[in-house]
């Protein structure tokens, strides 16, 4: 809403500067986004007088004028005095007073005035038309000022156009503020000051004919239209608006078009009531009258709106029709092209109506068509004022368009509204504000806002609210008015006591943070990916649907690649690996903690689960003078998962070869399921080269994904302290040659169970393969075994006995032999 | 060497064969021997140029079979009247040898250490061997910082579903059925696999359904009030979704932290005190705050909170669009309708709520030129924070 200070000052005294007014608006809830000083647009534009006018030597329609601009003729840069200006207009003579834009001027339309040569003749400026000055649509010639106009005065000063326009953001609950009258009332409440709003009156009504003789109106569905008033004005002379009207319309941010359109726009900006005008002659006559029918649109019905777009309507939209047939207006949004006022219009049907806000809002949304009218209807228009607004507009048609107002008005008002009365308890207002606000203040300011306030015996205020304030329905709505006018900044700041409440993070919340800390300590960087997914994400990854539910599908996605919700974190992370590779960062170490969405066939809502995943690619770093980093492969990723589980004290951790169709995304032989006892936590492995190809990743990628919810369930807190043995340990090395098929896991299980209580640690320190020395399809696995007792120093006999038994048992169990 | 020294011993003969008539000559010869031994010890120790040689010298002189040890042993066989002189002299010799050995040993150790230090000196400007540590994502950092600020004043941290129903996301929050934010242009609706099965089914226009991606964390207010009785002091960090094409200032998925307080006697002043504390904790103790009345369907009175601009200190600059203020969050007193929707008596309980845009805080703090950088997983970006 653009609020012109000059216009506002017609309605209420505002001695404040634009900045002061803006501060008060912001303080009380009207955001001011900018203050435009209109006079600035007329910098370097001055009043002038034509001294002489000679035909251009090289053109049959241009004139070379010498123009007196008084003290603004500086004689710089070879400027002659008077100023020489080449001019194409035909409507002036020597001696006329005109408006001249000097070199350096920037006109409202964006034209920059420079010294130029027109067909060989130098021109030091431009003689302006009203349109070039943004004052009206008149471009029939340059603007001619009265003979007594001074010469050489800044045009802004002469024209008194110096104005400040506050660009106000009106919140959706305040339709009243989408009007100058509403802003005047708001200003009156802010400053506790009277308004002086004078409205134009119809001077003479043509009683020879009544509006009912010319038009009738039928509203088929009161749910769509709660009030429809119509007037007829005849004999309009379409032409440019008077300057005052064009200025107001321009200040409100609309382009002046012609007197009829400008009047409707002006009245809408003044009152907040959208108006529509029909060319009466373009409506069908039957029985000597025109018949306006307001009805729901037929499904598929079409209308070409004023913006020359054909629009297909649906049944929940409301149309104004010509005798029930042809729609001539998409009610409350935009008129039709074929009923528009044009140069030939003689008689005008003026509509001031009230349409249902939710229907207008839907219509506007569904057609992507927003107009000044729809914005106001969406937020609710005050239906009690339709007749008054219609009168104001008719009076201005009479004044500005030379029209005759036909006597009477049609008023179809199926759903009348009465002002509501709300009880406001001043003590309650103070209790919610946390401030001592006097009841008298509340009464005064609410009255300023247009309420009628009566004090009840119990001290409460009975507040009757104006019908143009649909946001005032409950006591709390009035309390909001009181608090914002009192000033939020004047309320003392306090901190609640929070009695009987304990806060802080829960155990699981702390664990989730710990998971992140551990992964970062392992060298991974946290990243965030979109929770959206492409429909082919799983296929692209070589993953299966099984166990992941059905996809959650977005009805209107922005892009096809984001039309579902993710069921795994892997595609997002692989996309980041590819992104980094493509941008020259080959060493990628990422983890993400995020939500997965597992849709269900017969349920509206999906299961949401928290997941933690990581990717490693490249190396930990580039080679340096003292460090050479190996490429990151399976065991680097596995080590991180092992460390994570160990830090979380997850018990009975196992890694089971990932086999089968469910693991097609992992390179065979380099993938494992991660388990704690019987609970599958997730997987770890190298991404299958084919999947890497699908994501355009050149280097090997190790990845893991674990179910965070399960991980938290399997995590354990630190138990009681366990003492160390103070007795020395004995280390024995053992290399066993076994078949390739014997896994490390099997060997360690055998060693551990065979070693009994005394065996405290088993550490694999070498795996050796050599066809000649070890044998084909065999490997030698070398372990460092640590023996120790808690209560005595082991003797060498003891160790030999236990170790001997262990060797025998293990070799027998795995079919291995000791390598000497 | 040991053998060689041993062989040079002049008095290695069997003491039993020595006669008393030889005492005079013997005494003289012992004194001479002592002198010779002293000279020899000095030479030997001085000649030892490393720890091993010095140890050999020590063994040759003072070892079990060392020459000075042997000399000391001989003292028992010397005539008693001569013992004091010879004994004293022998002891002097031993002490001298010990002292020389120690001095020489200390010297050698010092030399060795100096040599080592010299050899190990490095160019300390060479880069160190750095462990690889990961970084936390900027958005998580800020979310957790906000969590910590509020946990410190007794708040709990709650969570809610990201796929929501229109009841929780809009209706229960007092948003009118035709509120523009409900349109498919402003909300991602989701295909409903079981239409009408949610707890509060509603009628929807084409392209809309009961199920949606939450457009705000505010819906969690309802979940919290359904499951907890006041007093409630909670914040809810989380991802939210809106159909905005990603550009420098918008992401279709971003993050909010919702705050909710419901208790007896909560006032607008309490909201101010709490958010003043938050603003100073997050943005610095010198920052000023300003509360501007605004409109949200689920709070009343509603307002937006500005903090004074950190670039110009409130004087006005291009960063704050010459206002001196920067908007950081929306807030207000919980609308009584919302309390009623959750079965909370608005006459007994009042409350306030607020919503903080995490990306906005990040952009303000670090002057991020393009929010999309938050979502690419670019290592160069992640490693900065």
């Amino acid at each position: 809403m653009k609020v012109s200070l000059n216009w506002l000052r017609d309605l209420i005294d505002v001695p404040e500067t634009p900045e002061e007014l803006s501060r008060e608006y912001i303080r009380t809830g009207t955001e001011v986004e900018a203050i435009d000083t209109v006079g600035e647009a007329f910098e370097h534009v001055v009043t002038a007088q034509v001294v002489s006018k000679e035909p251009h030597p090289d053109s049959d329609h241009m004139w070379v004028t010498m123009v007196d601009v008084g003290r603004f003729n500086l004689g710089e840069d070879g400027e002659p005095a008077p100023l020489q200006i080449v001019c194409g207009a035909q409507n002036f003579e020597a001696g006329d007073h005109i408006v001249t834009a000097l070199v350096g001027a920037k006109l409202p339309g964006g034209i920059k005035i420079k010294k130029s040569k027109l067909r060989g003749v130098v021109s030091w400026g431009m003689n302006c038309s009203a349109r070039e000055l943004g004052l009206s649509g008149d471009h029939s010639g340059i603007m001619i000022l009265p003979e007594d106009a001074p010469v050489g005065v800044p045009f802004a000063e002469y024209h008194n156009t110096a104005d400040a326009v506050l660009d106000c953001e009106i919140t959706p609950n305040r339709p009243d503020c989408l009007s100058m009258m509403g802003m005047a009332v708001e200003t009156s409440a802010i400053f506790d000051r009277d308004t002086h709003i004078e409205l134009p009156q119809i001077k003479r009504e043509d009683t020879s004919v009544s509006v009912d003789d010319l038009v009738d109106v039928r509203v088929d569905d009161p749910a769509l239209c709660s009030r429809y008033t119509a007037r007829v004005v005849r004999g309009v002379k379409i032409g440019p608006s008077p300057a005052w009207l064009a200025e107001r319309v321009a200040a409100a941010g609309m382009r002046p078009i012609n007197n009829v359109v400008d009047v409707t726009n002006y009245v809408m900006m003044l009152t907040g009531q959208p108006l529509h005008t029909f060319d009466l002659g373009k409506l069908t006559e039957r029985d000597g009258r025109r018949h306006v029918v307001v009805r729901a649109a037929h499904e598929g019905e079409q209308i070409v709106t004023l913006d020359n777009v054909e629009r297909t309507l649906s049944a929940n939209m409301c149309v104004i029709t010509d005798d029930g047939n042809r729609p001539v207006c998409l009610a409350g949004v935009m008129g039709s092209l074929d009923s528009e006022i044009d140069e030939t219009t003689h008689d005008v049907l003026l509509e001031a109506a009230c349409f249902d806000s939710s229907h207008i809002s839907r219509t506007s949304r569904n057609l992507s068509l927003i107009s000044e009218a729809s914005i106001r209807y969406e937020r609710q228009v005050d239906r009690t004022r339709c007749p008054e607004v219609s009168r104001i507009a008719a009076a201005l048609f009479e004044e500005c368009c030379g029209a005759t107002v036909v006597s009477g008005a049609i008023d179809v008002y199926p759903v009348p509204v009465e002002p509501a009365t709300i009880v406001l308890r001043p003590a309650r207002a103070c209790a919610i504000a946390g401030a001592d606000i006097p009841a008298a203040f509340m009464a005064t300011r609410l009255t300023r806002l247009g309420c009628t306030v009566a004090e009840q015996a119990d001290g409460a205020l009975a507040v009757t609210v104006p019908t143009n304030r649909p946001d005032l329905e409950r006591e709390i709505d009035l309390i909001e008015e009181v608090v914002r006018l009192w000033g939020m900044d004047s309320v003392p700041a306090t901190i609640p006591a929070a009695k009987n409440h304990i806060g802080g993070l829960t155990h699981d919340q702390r664990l989730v943070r710990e998971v992140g800390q551990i992964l970062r300590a392992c060298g991974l960087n946290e990243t965030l990916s979109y929770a959206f997914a492409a429909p082919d994400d799983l296929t692209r990854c070589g993953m299966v649907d099984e166990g992941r539910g059905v996809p959650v599908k977005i009805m209107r996605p922005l892009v096809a690649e984001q039309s579902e919700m993710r069921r795994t974190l892997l595609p997002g992370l692989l996309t980041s690996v590819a992104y980094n590779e493509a941008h020259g960062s080959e060493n990628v170490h990422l983890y993400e903690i995020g939500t997965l969405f597992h849709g269900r066939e017969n349920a509206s809502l999906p299961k949401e689960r928290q997941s933690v995943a990581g990717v490693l690619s490249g190396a930990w770093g580039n080679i340096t003078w003292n460090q050479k980093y190996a490429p990151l492969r399976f065991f680097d990723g596995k080590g991180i998962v092992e460390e994570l589980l160990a830090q979380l004290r997850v018990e009975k951790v196992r890694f089971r070869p990932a086999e089968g169709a469910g693991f097609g995304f992992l390179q065979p032989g380099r993938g494992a399921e991660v388990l704690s006892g019987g609970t599958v936590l997730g997987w770890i492995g190298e991404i299958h080269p084919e999947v890497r190809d699908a994501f355009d990743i050149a280097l090997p990628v190790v990845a893991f994904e674990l179910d965070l919810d399960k991980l938290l369930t399997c995590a354990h807190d630190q138990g009681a302290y366990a003492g160390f043995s103070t007795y020395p340990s004995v280390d024995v090395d053992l290399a066993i040659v076994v078949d390739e098929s014997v896994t490390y896991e099997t060997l360690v299980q055998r060693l551990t169970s065979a070693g009994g209580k005394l065996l405290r640690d088993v550490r694999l320190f070498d795996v050796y393969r050599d066809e000649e020395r070890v044998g084909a399809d065999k490997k030698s696995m070398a372990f460092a075994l640590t023996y120790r007792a808690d209560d005595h120093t082991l003797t060498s006999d003891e160790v030999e006995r236990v170790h001997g038994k262990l060797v025998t048992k293990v070799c027998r169990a795995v079919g291995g032999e000791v390598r000497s | 060497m040991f053998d060689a020294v041993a062989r040079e011993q002049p008095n290695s003969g069997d003491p039993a064969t020595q006669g008393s008539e030889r005492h005079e000559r013997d005494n003289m010869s012992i004194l001479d021997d002592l002198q010779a031994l002293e000279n020899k010890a000095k030479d030997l120790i001085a000649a030892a140029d490393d720890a091993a040689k010095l140890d050999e010298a020590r063994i040759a002189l003072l070892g079990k079979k060392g020459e000075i040890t042997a000399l000391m042993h001989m003292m028992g066989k010397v005539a008693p009247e001569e013992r004091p002189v010879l004994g004293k002299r022998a002891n002097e010799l031993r002490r001298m040898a010990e002292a020389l050995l120690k001095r020489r040993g200390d010297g050698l150790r010092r030399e060795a250490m100096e040599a080592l230090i010299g050899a190990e000196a490095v160019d300390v400007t060479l880069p160190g061997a750095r462990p690889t540590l990961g970084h936390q994502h900027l958005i998580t950092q800020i979310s957790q910082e906000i969590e910590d600020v509020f946990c410190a004043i007794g708040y709990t941290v709650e969570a809610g579903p990201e796929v929501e129903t229109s009841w929780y996301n809009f209706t229960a929050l007092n948003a009118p059925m035709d509120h523009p934010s409900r349109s498919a242009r402003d909300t991602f609706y989701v295909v409903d696999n079981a239409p009408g099965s949610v707890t509060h089914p509603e009628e929807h226009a084409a392209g809309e359904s009961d199920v949606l991606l939450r457009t705000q964390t505010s819906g969690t207010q309802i979940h919290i009030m359904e499951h907890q009785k006041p007093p409630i002091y909670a914040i809810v960090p989380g991802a939210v979704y809106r159909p905005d094409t990603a550009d420098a200032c918008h992401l279709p998925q971003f993050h909010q932290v919702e705050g909710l307080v419901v208790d007896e006697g909560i006032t607008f002043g309490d909201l101010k005190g709490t958010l003043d504390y938050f603003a100073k904790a997050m943005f610095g103790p010198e920052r000023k705050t300003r509360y501007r009345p605004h409109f949200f369907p689920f709070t009343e009175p509603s307002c937006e909170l500005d903090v004074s601009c950190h670039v110009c200190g409130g004087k006005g600059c291009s960063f704050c669009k010459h206002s001196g203020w920067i908007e950081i969050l929306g807030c207000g007193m919980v609308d009584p309708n919302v309390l009623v929707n959750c079965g909370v008596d608005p006459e007994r309980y009042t409350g306030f709520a607020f919503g903080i845009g995490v990306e906005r805080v990040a952009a303000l703090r670090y002057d991020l030129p393009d929010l999309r950088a938050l979502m690419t997983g670019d290592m160069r970006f992640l490693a900065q924070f």
Side-chain angles (χ1 to χ4, degrees), chain A residues 365 477 491 494 509 520 531 604, chain B residues 134 157 185 192 253 270 300:
Chain A
R365 262 153 62 184
D477 302 327
V491 174
T494 49
Q509 286 165 345
R520 291 196 294 282
S604 296
Chain B
V157 179
R185 231 178 292 287
D192 189 347
Q253 170 188 337
D270 291 336
E300 186 156 25

Side-chain angles (χ1 to χ4, degrees), chain A residues 48-60:
Chain A
Q49 187 175 18
V50 182
V51 177
S52 67
K53 171 189 176 189
E54 301 292 337
H56 191 289
D58 226 8
S59 161
D60 54 5

